[in-house]
Amino acid sequence: MKKFLLCLIIILPLGFLGASCNQDQINLNSDPPVPSEGAEDLSADIIFLHHSTGQNIWEGGVQKVVEQAGYSIIEQEFPKDSPYGWENFPYDYWNIWVNHGDEDFYMQEPTLKTLADNYNLIAFKHCFPVGHILPDTGDPDVTSSEKTLENYKAQYNALKEKMHEYPDTKFLIWTGAALIESETDPDSARKMKEWVDWVVNNWDEEGDNIYVWDFYNLETEGSLYMQDAYSDGDSHPNPIFSDTAAPLFGERMIEVMQ
């Protein structure tokens, strides 16, 4: 488990928290790096960043599986609804971790500068609206929040480059959560599967510090849609599926840690 410098708990003027010991001055033009709620306990081996789908899986017993293997884990909503907004798509990870990666926190959300110093494994995911994919324009834009395959790929490539800057930290990313058939359309569903296949077969590199857990194919069983039997009435997983998926997620994290 990584240790923390004692200076991290010193409260400095202007509400600044978490500055490094070598910082010469405070940038008054940036957001004050206030830790996100739920991240105050920086004493775990693993942190799981998620929204509602991830919460359902977490409540299926992830923590118990991980702790039985001798590791500690905490979970955290990322990003929070306020002040950043309830968006955890490829653009948002790129925006917080790459676009503002030189900061300790952006809009009270920890960047990799902070997370990589505090955890051995960072697991993160996107919720099912990531599957509402629009047609490509032929002009990918890494800075765009438009949900297109070309933008997703540009943002993922930038994220991979950033995560490679922290070789002593491991990262585990879920493939995107699927939608039930009634909440999407065939074209978007095919694009979603294409993106997942790209992440698993092209983007993921063997031998680096980034790992994948194929949540999408667990939900879809090889189809284009989340199985109705796994649905909680919408595209959220129900308790039965969550109880099944939770130990698989926990075991995958254990594999990565080992």
Side-chain angles (χ1 to χ4, degrees), residues 37-49:
E37 182 180 357
E40 289 81 1
D41 178 12
L42 304 178
S43 59
D45 297 306
I46 304 168
I47 186 168
F48 173 39
L49 306 174

Side-chain angles (χ1 to χ4, degrees), residues 170-190:
K170 296 179 180 181
F171 298 89
L172 178 62
I173 183 168
W174 292 23
T175 53
L179 290 152
I180 57 174
E181 187 171 3
S182 63
E183 293 187 343
T184 186
D185 61 83
D187 188 54
S188 291
R190 283 190 291 269

Side-chain angles (χ1 to χ4, degrees), residues 37-101:
E37 182 180 357
E40 289 81 1
D41 178 12
L42 304 178
S43 59
D45 297 306
I46 304 168
I47 186 168
F48 173 39
L49 306 174
H50 64 82
H51 278 173
S52 53
T53 293
Q55 185 68 37
N56 287 9
I57 304 302
W58 173 265
E59 291 174 357
V62 172
Q63 185 173 17
K64 180 179 179 180
V65 172
V66 171
E67 291 182 347
Q68 284 178 338
Y71 299 106
S72 55
I73 182 172
I74 65 170
E75 52 85 23
Q76 178 183 330
E77 292 180 347
F78 185 91
K80 299 186 305 300
D81 186 44
S82 178
Y84 184 87
W86 197 248
E87 306 283 331
N88 70 347
F89 306 119
Y91 165 80
D92 303 293
Y93 280 100
W94 171 85
N95 190 29
I96 297 170
W97 288 355
V98 180
N99 194 31
H100 294 91

Side-chain angles (χ1 to χ4, degrees), residues 42-255:
L42 304 178
S43 59
D45 297 306
I46 304 168
I47 186 168
F48 173 39
L49 306 174
H50 64 82
H51 278 173
S52 53
T53 293
Q55 185 68 37
N56 287 9
I57 304 302
W58 173 265
E59 291 174 357
V62 172
Q63 185 173 17
K64 180 179 179 180
V65 172
V66 171
E67 291 182 347
Q68 284 178 338
Y71 299 106
S72 55
I73 182 172
I74 65 170
E75 52 85 23
Q76 178 183 330
E77 292 180 347
F78 185 91
K80 299 186 305 300
D81 186 44
S82 178
Y84 184 87
W86 197 248
E87 306 283 331
N88 70 347
F89 306 119
Y91 165 80
D92 303 293
Y93 280 100
W94 171 85
N95 190 29
I96 297 170
W97 288 355
V98 180
N99 194 31
H100 294 91
D102 292 335
E103 304 172 32
D104 294 317
F105 291 83
Y106 174 66
M107 297 185 73
Q108 301 185 21
E109 302 298 340
T111 66
L112 291 187
K113 278 186 66 177
T114 296
L115 292 168
D117 277 345
N118 296 333
Y119 304 100
N120 294 315
L121 172 61
I122 300 167
F124 64 101
K125 59 170 290 299
H126 313 291
C127 274
F128 51 78
V130 76
H132 293 302
I133 301 177
L134 302 172
D136 284 345
T137 65
D139 185 22
D141 182 1
V142 72
T143 69
S144 173
S145 61
E146 286 289 309
K147 296 181 176 68
T148 65
L149 278 179
E150 59 193 1
N151 291 345
Y152 283 1
K153 291 178 180 180
Q155 288 149 0
Y156 258 49
N157 285 332
L159 281 165
K160 178 164 65 173
E161 184 176 342
K162 175 59 69 173
M163 289 185 282
H164 283 170
E165 293 179 11
Y166 299 91
D168 295 331
T169 300
K170 296 179 180 181
F171 298 89
L172 178 62
I173 183 168
W174 292 23
T175 53
L179 290 152
I180 57 174
E181 187 171 3
S182 63
E183 293 187 343
T184 186
D185 61 83
D187 188 54
S188 291
R190 283 190 291 269
K191 287 183 172 64
M192 180 63 180
K193 188 177 190 314
E194 181 182 343
W195 180 49
V196 169
D197 289 344
W198 177 81
V199 168
V200 172
N201 299 316
N202 300 99
W203 179 81
D204 187 32
E205 295 180 11
E206 187 173 351
D208 67 357
N209 60 331
I210 303 171
Y211 303 81
V212 171
W213 186 51
D214 197 349
F215 182 71
Y216 172 87
N217 278 299
L218 193 64
E219 284 189 301
T220 63
E221 295 186 349
S223 74
L224 293 178
Y225 310 103
M226 179 186 187
Q227 296 293 298
D228 289 337
Y230 301 153
S231 166
D232 201 25
D234 56 12
S235 295
H236 287 97
N238 61 28
I240 294 175
F241 177 79
S242 297
D243 289 348
T244 301
L248 300 177
F249 177 43
E251 289 162 8
R252 181 62 172 141
M253 286 190 286
I254 294 166
E255 288 174 355

